[in-house]
């Protein structure tokens, strides 16, 4: 405050001369000076006042000067202020005000400055402190992190350790329970451990084996002390050998051994896993045997087994193919099946048939033989479809049918020859019947003429001989007729027609001009049949004729009946004649067989042979039931399919 | 059957021919009987303008050179001769022969009987039938 007063005083002193001599500063244009007295009447104004719109001269106003109010509200007042002092006072006041303001500002600034200094100091200290703290914290955190990491590792390690022991436990359990036998021996072969499977496999308890030498279990190395000398052989050693069970039986073992080393790389133990393969060996053996068997069959079959791709490439073919084509199996595999055919078209046809029918049996083809000859064969094959039903391959067998063909040809030839022979026989019978008949008739005719022309010239013996001659000629004629008829049945088939057998029997009997004391009766209704009518007539004509010829009763009776069975019609023709002894019953159906001499009873012995022939030709049967004195019944059957119209 | 016209017998067997000749005589035929021993001879006879056309032909089937069926086949194609009645006289009882013969328009088919008297009866029947039956000129 003291300072302020001093400055103010100085300013005041300085200003007095200045203000008292207003003229000195009249031309200060950039400021105006008002000189006023104490009552603030304006005494002097310099030029500068004009710049604010006043004239120095025209405002010589003596008035009181309210510096603020007047300046602001009424500039005119300024001019009324009298006296310089007033003015100076105002200036001084203003000055003081300014000074005090400035001082205040300075103080304020100082204060601010001081405060800021304090804060700055404080802040700086604080920052330093913070920096320090930060570093410390970082170090601490790093430390902590390190620790945490260590901790984590430790934890993991711990867990691993726990896991490991768990694993070991599991492994041990697995080894204990596995089916595979496991044993651990030391490098000298002393058993240190066996799992139950191993000891069980050999019929021991694990405790029986521990401490024993492994050698005692293996007969082939029993008593060889140096087995374990060369330890390296145990590395990944796979063996198949026999082991002896406790009961002395041998089993087949397949084993895998490995060496275990310690930290320093020194082998300390041998771990062996072993499996009883006795059963497997047996089945393998039998499999091999059966495979061998099949291979032997495959190698030796006469037929040719083959497999081809769908494009016709041979995948497998049995070696027997060589016998036909002269080409070996090995040469053929991979080649086209078509190359084996005599005519490739045949294979195309065969494959189309196979694709159509999947299975084809006994399909006739011809393969190309050794000298380009055609070898007749049959194929039986099957088209193999894959899962999506698309043909994938053909498997089949080929059979050489050369021999069969030869036999067939031979048979066909024989058949042909037989037919020719048969034809010749028929022709012979026909020619015989004609050509023998003519001279026979001539003999007969001329003998008749001699008898009629010269009969009176013969004595009784001559007449008898002539009659015998004519009789024998007639008999011969009948025999020839019989042969002709008989051969006719074999060789000619007549036309089949439908007819009522009741009527046929009546008509046949009617035609035979039977004696008045001979009767033919129908016991029950006969069927309507579809058959060769003349042959049926022949059957009844001959059977009735047979009854007539041998009839020994006054009243002859033939009874005709029938019976329907499942497949046949059975007919019976019974007479009341003398009957036929058992021993002759077979003979009656033989051609030219008669039971009486022909002189006693004129008979050709052909009638029943003809009946037999007709019936057997139509797949029927004929037989006799007869006893001497009780008549004879002829039975015959004809299959329905032969005598019923379809 | 005109009693003045000849009967032609075609048969290779002399005794059969004799039999026919004797039977005709026994039946009191007045007709002349001419013989040929096979088809060829028969045509030689028939084609000879000097010979009168026969009123009936008795034909055997089994003959050398030209058999009965062959003879018939030619005869029936001959406009001049085809209307002559032909009766088969044969030992053949073959259905085939019978069928062929009738297909070629024969007037009858007789089996030569073993018994001469039966044969005479056959001849008599033929005579009586053809005496009644009118023939075209």
């Amino acid at each position: 405050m003291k300072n302020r007063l001093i400055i103010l005083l100085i300013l005041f002193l300085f200003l007095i001369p200045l203000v008292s001599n207003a003229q000195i500063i009249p031309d200060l244009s950039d400021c105006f000076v008002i000189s006023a007295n104490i009552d603030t009447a304006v005494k002097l104004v310099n030029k500068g006042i004009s710049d604010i719109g006043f004239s120095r001269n025209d405002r010589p106003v003596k008035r009181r000067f309210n510096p603020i109010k007047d300046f602001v509200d009424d500039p005119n007042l300024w001019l009324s202020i009298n006296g310089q002092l007033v003015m100076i006072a105002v200036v001084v006041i203003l000055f003081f005000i300014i000074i005090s303001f400035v001082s205040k500002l300075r103080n304020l600034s100082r204060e601010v400055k001081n405060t800021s200094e304090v804060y700055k100091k404080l802040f700086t200290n604080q920052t330093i402190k913070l920096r320090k703290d930060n570093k410390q914290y970082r170090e601490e955190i790093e430390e902590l992190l390190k620790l945490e990491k260590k901790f984590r590792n430790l934890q993991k390690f711990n867990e691993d350790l726990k896991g490991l022991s768990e694993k070991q436990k599991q492994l041990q359990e697995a080894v204990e329970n596995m089916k595979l036998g496991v044993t651990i021996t030391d490098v000298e072969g002393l058993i240190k451990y066996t799992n139950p499977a191993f000891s069980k496999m050999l019929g021991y308890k694990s405790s029986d084996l521990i401490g024993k030498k492994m050698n005692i279990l293996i007969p082939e190395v029993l008593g060889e002390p140096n087995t374990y000398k060369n330890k390296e052989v145990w590395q990944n050693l796979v063996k198949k050998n026999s082991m002896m069970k406790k009961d002395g039986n041998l089993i087949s073992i397949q084993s895998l051994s490995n060496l275990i080393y310690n930290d320093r790389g020194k082998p300390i133990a041998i771990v062996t896993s072993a499996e009883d393969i006795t059963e497997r060996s047996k089945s393998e053996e039998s499999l091999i045997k059966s495979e061998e068997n099949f291979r032997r069959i495959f190698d030796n079959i006469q037929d040719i087994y083959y497999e081809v791709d769908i494009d016709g490439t041979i995948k497998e073919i049995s070696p027997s193919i060589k016998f036909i084509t002269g080409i070996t199996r090995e040469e053929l595999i991979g080649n086209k099946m078509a190359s084996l055919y005599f005519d490739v078209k045949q294979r195309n046809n065969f494959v189309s048939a196979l694709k159509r029918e999947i299975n084809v049996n006994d399909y006739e083809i011809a393969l190309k033989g050794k000298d380009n000859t055609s070898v007749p064969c049959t194929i039986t094959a099957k088209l193999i479809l894959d899962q999506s039903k698309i043909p994938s391959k053909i498997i089949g067998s080929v059979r050489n049918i050369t021999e069969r063909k030869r036999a067939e040809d031979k048979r066909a030839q024989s058949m042909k020859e037989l037919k020719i022979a048969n034809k010749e026989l028929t022709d012979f019978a026909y020619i015989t019947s004609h050509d023998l008949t003519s001279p026979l008739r001539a003999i007969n005719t001329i003998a008749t003429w001699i008898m009629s022309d010269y009969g009176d010239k013969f004595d009784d013996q001559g007449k008898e001989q002539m009659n015998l001659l004519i009789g024998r000629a007639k008999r011969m004629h009948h025999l020839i007729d019989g042969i002709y008829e008989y051969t006719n049945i074999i060789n000619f088939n007549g036309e089949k027609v439908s007819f009522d057998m009741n009527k046929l029997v009546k008509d046949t009997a009617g035609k035979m001009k039977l004696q008045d004391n001979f009767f033919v009766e129908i016991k029950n209704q006969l069927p309507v049949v579809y058959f060769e009518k003349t042959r049926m007539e022949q059957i009844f004509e001959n059977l009735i004729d047979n009854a007539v010829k041998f009839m020994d009763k006054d009243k002859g009776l033939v009874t005709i009946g029938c019976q329907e069975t499942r497949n046949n019609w059975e007919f019976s023709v019974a007479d009341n004649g003398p009957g036929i002894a058992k021993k002759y019953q077979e003979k009656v159906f033989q051609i030219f067989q008669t039971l009486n001499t022909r002189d006693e009873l004129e008979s050709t012995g052909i009638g029943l042979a003809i009946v037999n022939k007709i019936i057997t030709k139509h797949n029927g049967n004929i037989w006799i039931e007869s006893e001497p004195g009780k008549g004879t019944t002829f039975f015959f059957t004809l299959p329905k399919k032969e005598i019923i119209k379809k | 059957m005109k009693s003045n016209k000849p009967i032609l017998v075609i048969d290779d067997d002399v005794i059969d021919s004799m039999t026919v000749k004797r039977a005709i005589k026994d039946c009191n035929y007045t007709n002349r009987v001419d013989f040929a021993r096979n088809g060829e001879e028969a045509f030689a006879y028939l084609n000879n303008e000097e010979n009168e056309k026969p009123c009936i032909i008795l034909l055997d089937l089994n003959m050398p050179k030209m058999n009965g069926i062959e003879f018939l086949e030619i005869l029936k194609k001959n406009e001049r001769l085809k209307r002559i009645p032909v009766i088969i006289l044969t030992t053949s009882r073959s259905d085939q022969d019978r069928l062929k013969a009738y297909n070629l328009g024969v007037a009858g088919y007789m089996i030569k009987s073993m018994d001469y008297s039966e044969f005479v009866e056959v001849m008599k029947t033929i005579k009586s039938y053809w005496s009644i039956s009118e023939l075209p000129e």
Side-chain angles (χ1 to χ4, degrees), chain A residues 221-380:
Chain A
V221 293
L222 199 63
E224 287 180 27
N226 295 327
T227 314
Y228 292 90
K229 205 175 172 186
N230 182 9
K231 293 174 181 65
E232 280 64 37
V233 300
W234 293 98
Q235 195 62 45
N236 286 322
L237 179 69
V238 179
K239 274 206 299 187
K240 267 188 189 176
N241 59 291
S242 305
M243 283 185 111
M244 197 196 286
K245 287 174 75 172
K246 195 178 179 184
D247 60 14
N249 286 329
L250 292 180
I251 54 172
S252 295
I253 296 285
Q254 181 173 301
S255 63
L256 168 68
S257 301
N258 256 312
L259 271 178
I260 293 177
Y261 297 88
N262 66 6
D263 293 345
R264 280 157 294 163
K266 193 183 167 208
I268 49 162
I270 299 160
V271 178
T272 303
S273 60
E275 196 183 354
D276 182 353
I277 54 162
T278 314
E279 286 306 309
R280 207 202 299 162
S281 315
K282 271 184 198 163
S283 65
E284 265 173 17
E285 216 168 278
S286 71
L287 198 70
I288 289 167
K289 260 185 197 161
S290 90
E291 225 177 66
E292 267 174 12
N293 280 341
F294 278 117
R295 174 55 67 175
R296 208 172 299 131
I297 292 167
F298 178 73
D299 285 346
N300 293 299
I301 47 167
Q302 288 296 303
D303 286 356
I304 296 138
Y305 169 82
Y306 74 96
E307 268 185 53
V308 297
D309 270 353
I310 209 64
D311 69 350
T313 306
I314 299 168
K315 288 167 74 183
E316 182 57 278
I317 194 157
S318 50
S320 46
I321 186 68
K322 195 184 165 197
F323 299 121
I324 295 182
T325 61
I327 309 170
T328 64
R329 166 178 174 270
E330 289 70 26
E331 286 173 295
L332 282 170
I333 288 174
N335 284 326
K336 295 284 176 195
M337 190 68 186
S339 68
L340 292 175
Y341 279 69
F342 189 74
D343 179 2
V344 181
K345 263 188 233 156
Q346 269 192 338
R347 175 166 154 86
N348 297 338
N349 293 341
F350 167 67
V351 173
S352 328
L354 195 60
K355 283 184 177 166
R356 206 165 48 238
E357 306 187 5
I358 309 295
N359 282 303
V360 173
N361 296 324
D362 291 327
Y363 190 95
E364 283 203 21
I365 54 140
L367 293 186
K368 210 187 286 170
K370 284 172 192 163
D371 309 312
N372 254 344
T373 50
S374 161
V375 181
C377 293
T378 57
I379 291 192
T380 295

Side-chain angles (χ1 to χ4, degrees), chain A residues 430 433-434 437-446 448-449 452-453 473-474 477 480-481 484-485 492, chain B residues 11 13 15-16 18-20 22-23 26 60 62 90-97 112-117:
Chain A
Y430 178 81
S433 66
H434 174 258
T437 304
S438 292
L440 195 61
R441 195 180 48 251
I443 292 164
N444 191 48
T445 304
I446 288 169
T448 309
W449 288 345
S452 64
D453 294 355
K474 276 189 179 145
H477 175 71
I480 290 168
D481 267 3
Y484 177 76
E485 248 184 82
F492 300 106
Chain B
D11 199 322
D13 190 308
I15 295 172
D16 280 349
M18 275 170 64
T19 312
V20 174
R22 181 165 170 149
D26 287 352
D60 186 19
N62 296 290
T90 181
T91 48
S92 168
R93 283 173 295 171
S94 141
D95 294 340
Q96 285 292 307
D97 283 345
K112 286 176 185 170
S113 173
M114 198 65 193
D115 195 283
Y116 174 71
S117 57

Side-chain angles (χ1 to χ4, degrees), chain A residues 603-621:
Chain A
S603 169
T604 56
I606 281 176
L608 293 180
I610 285 172
V611 171
N612 185 34
K613 197 85 227 168
I614 295 168
I615 289 164
T616 51
K617 189 186 174 186
H618 294 280
N619 303 311
N621 275 317

Side-chain angles (χ1 to χ4, degrees), chain A residues 147-159:
Chain A
L147 274 170
E148 200 210 356
K149 209 173 167 187
K150 270 185 185 167
F151 177 72
R152 283 221 182 120
N153 282 342
L154 208 66
Q155 204 175 18
K156 192 163 173 276
F157 182 70
N158 214 4
E159 272 169 14

Side-chain angles (χ1 to χ4, degrees), chain A residues 549-564:
Chain A
K549 263 184 204 157
F550 298 98
M551 185 48 63
D552 57 348
K553 308 289 186 309
D554 290 338
K555 188 190 167 197
L557 178 64
V558 167
T559 311
I560 293 164
C562 69
Q563 190 185 330
E564 188 177 2

Side-chain angles (χ1 to χ4, degrees), chain A residues 172-180 195-197:
Chain A
Q172 194 169 346
E173 212 163 291
V175 172
E176 287 282 316
N177 290 314
M178 71 205 293
K179 277 185 168 180
L180 201 68
N195 70 345

